[in-house]
Amino acid sequence: MSLKFLSCNQWVHQLHLQSPVSSTTTKRSWIEAGPRYFKLPQSTLRKSLSPSLCFAMDQKSLHEDAFGVGQKDGVIIVDHGSRRKESNLLLNEFVLMFKSKTGYPIVEPAHMELADPSIKDAFNSCVQQGANRVIISPFFLFPGRHWHQDIPSLADAAALEHPGINYLVTAPLGLHEFLVDVVKDRIGYCLSHVAGEVEECAVCVGTGRCKLKVQDSEN
């Protein structure tokens, strides 16, 4: 059985189709979705991938807007941030790659902490470029404390300076089946480098970190 990954918008769209918010015929429960909440039927809770898959800052806009990134959408790719300059520069390279492959007109990098640009800086930049909706995509694997608390709080603070702008914190990367291919490719490339068949990758270049090690026995 293959895992089907749903984006945040697809998940909300699916729930909207299966269980319209306006329905009053089914017993409802609160599902946390950031500062506001969706009212969804109990049956939907059992079927959904996660009751906290996304933080929706404007419930109405999610149900009425077209599902997909448009010309007036700004996308922020946010990672943790590092004191190591080289690590932060890799995010810039990824954002350029992402923008080139998707064709999205407004894409900005951001670091949650330790480095600039911050989420606030990136949010401001998106609005200055004409965005009327800002989509914050955490470049994180799984939904830990940073996704549950820190990034939504920083997004709230950034949005205070831009009343009327809708914004959304999407799900992290999670259990996306394409990540299997990414990890497999990374392992294969590193083993090829160890065998002397290829140069260091862009992540390891100049570090000398990608090499086999063995500890001598104490006996």
Side-chain angles (χ1 to χ4, degrees), residues 8-25:
C8 191
N9 278 346
Q10 290 171 326
W11 183 75
V12 174
H13 185 48
Q14 183 184 68
L15 295 182
H16 181 54
L17 292 177
Q18 293 178 351
S19 308
V21 174
S22 60
S23 173
T24 58
T25 59

Side-chain angles (χ1 to χ4, degrees), residues 5 42 64-65 98 127 155 161 168 170 181 187 190 197 202 217:
F5 178 86
Q42 288 281 7
E64 294 182 352
D65 288 355
F98 180 86
V127 175
E161 298 184 7
L168 169 76
T170 72
D181 296 327
I187 291 172
C190 289
E197 298 172 357
S217 174

Side-chain angles (χ1 to χ4, degrees), residues 29-160:
S29 294
W30 288 107
I31 289 184
E32 184 176 359
R36 300 190 182 183
Y37 297 83
F38 291 117
K39 269 188 172 181
L40 299 173
Q42 288 281 7
S43 59
T44 303
L45 293 180
R46 292 191 293 270
K47 295 178 181 178
S48 63
L49 292 177
S50 168
S52 300
L53 187 58
C54 65
F55 293 89
M57 308 308 176
D58 191 314
Q59 177 180 343
K60 182 178 179 181
S61 68
L62 279 175
H63 287 287
E64 294 182 352
D65 288 355
F67 292 92
V69 175
Q71 294 297 309
K72 290 294 186 178
D73 286 326
V75 175
I76 298 173
I77 308 294
V78 56
D79 70 357
H80 185 279
S82 173
R83 292 185 177 88
R84 187 172 180 267
K85 181 180 178 180
E86 292 80 3
S87 297
N88 296 325
L89 291 177
L90 284 175
L91 179 65
N92 294 346
E93 293 186 27
F94 176 79
V95 167
L96 290 174
M97 184 192 311
F98 180 86
K99 186 174 183 179
S100 175
K101 290 183 71 69
T102 61
Y104 295 165
I106 306 173
V107 185
E108 293 292 328
H111 307 292
M112 188 189 72
E113 60 183 7
L114 301 177
D116 293 327
S118 64
I119 290 176
K120 181 179 179 180
D121 294 333
F123 200 110
N124 291 342
S125 180
C126 287
V127 175
Q128 289 169 4
Q129 294 175 68
N132 56 24
R133 181 172 66 173
V134 177
I135 302 159
I136 302 166
S137 179
F139 201 40
F140 289 71
L141 276 179
F142 301 115
R145 179 175 61 86
H146 293 322
W147 180 74
H148 280 286
Q149 299 177 15
D150 300 333
I151 293 176
S153 295
L154 291 168
D156 291 345
L160 284 175

Side-chain angles (χ1 to χ4, degrees), residues 164-181:
I165 298 295
N166 296 326
Y167 59 107
L168 169 76
V169 178
T170 72
L173 299 177
L175 297 177
H176 196 305
E177 60 186 13
F178 287 171
L179 286 175
V180 174
D181 296 327

